[in-house]
Amino acid sequence: MVSDGLWSIGELAERAGATVKTVRYYSDRGLLPEAGRSSGGHRRYGPGALDRLRLIRSLRALGLPVPEVERVLARDEALEEVVSGQLRDLGTRLAALRWREASLRLLQDCAAGERSERLRLIGAVSVPPDTAALVRFWRRILPVRLPGRVVSMVLDSVVPGVPEEPSPAQVLDFARLHALVSDPLVDRPESRPAPPLPDGEYRPTVLYEGLAEAYTLASAELRGGRDLRDGGALDCFVAAYAHARGEGDSPDFRRSLLPLLARSDGPLITRYWKFAAGLFAPGEPVLGALHHRLSVALHLDVGAQAD
């Protein structure tokens, strides 16, 4: 340091443990304040430049690109925004890496004859994947008259989240599920699942809200080890359909409901729940399984009444 208390660019670089090229680059971008110039026109820096340079290098070590560093230096409160953004970006990249690792293990561990088909399936899914195709699938088959709040309730229950740390089996299930809902044949009238009750003869909002209550009860009863025929879930399940049609629960109605349930639980929905079941978090109720268990309980109940 010379007598004026300022440093040359080389002295600043040496004190910071950086290269002259690095200091010059940040200085040229206006990130390092110059305290003045020497008689020969060379840049001179004070102690504040060293603190600033150390801050810049710390931010860069965290992976912040230079434009983001500039935002932080220009405005103190920008640091929280930038850090949050970097964490979101890092989370996305980590999710992509975990998905790729599970995908590679899926290909590594399968028989050679299966690799081509599995590669085609996983190659059709974005990395990291999202559930947009699943949401579109359900929006296409749900009744158009459902209020937005009910649609949101249904989607939250039937669309599984993307596993944060997927297993190879989950990668395969998700890829198969994505292929199922993305198939153009799904939009053909003959491929679409039948409505839960004859179209135009029921109130969709009453039905779906009633079914949500029935599934909640069924989940609790199963966790408690109870037979669904002995609790309130089955009655609530039947009541949802009956009230949606403006009818009451009766033995005749229960018998008439059986073929309607069989028709609505077609092969498309059955395959959907087959692939989706393993994607829900442990302990999270799977509506497809609950619906099936309630339908079976109704069959048994109707059969018992006929004996």
Side-chain angles (χ1 to χ4, degrees):
M1 180 181 290
V2 295
S3 57
D4 60 3
L6 302 179
W7 300 316
S8 68
I9 192 170
E11 290 170 330
L12 176 60
E14 182 179 0
R15 287 175 178 272
T19 65
V20 171
K21 181 179 179 181
T22 297
V23 175
R24 182 175 290 112
Y25 172 72
Y26 291 138
S27 188
D28 289 343
R29 291 194 67 116
L31 299 180
L32 289 176
E34 295 180 22
R37 293 271 177 160
S38 68
S39 57
H42 299 293
R43 301 172 187 181
R44 311 294 292 169
Y45 300 92
L50 178 59
D51 292 337
R52 176 67 70 92
L53 183 54
R54 285 171 174 165
L55 175 59
I56 292 170
R57 298 189 72 195
S58 295
L59 295 171
R60 294 287 287 138
L62 291 173
L64 271 65
V66 173
E68 294 294 87
V69 171
E70 290 175 331
R71 285 184 58 200
V72 173
L73 295 179
R75 189 165 56 91
D76 289 341
E77 58 269 26
L79 178 59
E80 183 176 351
E81 300 171 11
V82 170
V83 169
S84 296
Q86 288 295 303
L87 285 173
R88 287 192 298 271
D89 179 63
L90 183 60
T92 299
R93 284 185 281 154
L94 288 174
L97 288 173
R98 287 191 289 264
W99 193 267
R100 290 192 181 110
E101 180 186 19
S103 298
L104 289 170
R105 294 191 184 281
L106 174 67
L107 295 173
Q108 182 184 53
D109 298 340
C110 72
E114 298 177 318
R115 286 193 182 124
S116 178
E117 174 63 12
R118 292 188 175 187
L119 186 59
R120 182 189 65 80
L121 285 169
I122 63 179
V125 178
S126 62
V127 179
D130 60 54
T131 58
L134 310 185
V135 170
R136 287 194 298 269
F137 168 77
W138 283 102
R139 286 189 178 277
R140 288 198 301 268
I141 65 177
L142 286 174
V144 295
R145 302 188 303 278
L146 276 182
R149 61 177 175 80
V150 179
V151 171
S152 297
M153 175 189 71
V154 173
L155 292 177
D156 287 343
S157 302
V158 300
V159 176
V162 178
E164 293 184 1
E165 297 187 9
S167 66
Q170 287 177 317
V171 168
L172 182 58
D173 281 343
F174 190 92
R176 286 172 169 167
L177 189 61
H178 185 273
L180 175 69
V181 302
S182 302
D183 190 335
L185 295 178
V186 170
D187 287 329
R188 293 186 179 181
E190 63 270 21
S191 300
R192 294 172 69 94
L197 288 170
D199 196 23
E201 298 182 14
Y202 74 104
R203 293 172 291 171
T205 301
V206 174
L207 175 62
Y208 283 94
E209 290 182 334
L211 287 177
E213 182 180 355
Y215 297 145
T216 300
L217 288 173
S219 179
E221 289 173 8
L222 290 172
R223 286 198 306 271
R226 299 178 62 184
D227 188 319
L228 291 182
R229 289 183 295 164
D230 298 333
L234 180 58
D235 291 342
C236 186
F237 180 69
V238 174
Y241 287 95
H243 295 164
R245 296 193 67 174
E247 301 182 29
D249 185 359
S250 69
D252 287 342
F253 180 82
R254 293 194 173 209
R255 283 192 295 272
S256 70
L257 183 57
L258 292 178
L260 294 176
L261 292 175
R263 187 183 65 162
S264 62
D265 294 339
L268 179 62
I269 297 301
T270 300
R271 290 180 66 202
Y272 179 95
W273 286 114
K274 176 184 177 182
F275 300 143
L279 297 170
F280 287 89
E284 185 178 1
V286 180
L287 261 61
L290 294 174
H291 185 87
H292 174 73
R293 296 285 293 270
L294 286 165
S295 297
V296 170
L298 179 60
H299 274 276
L300 295 173
D301 179 72
V302 170
Q305 291 180 14
D307 293 339

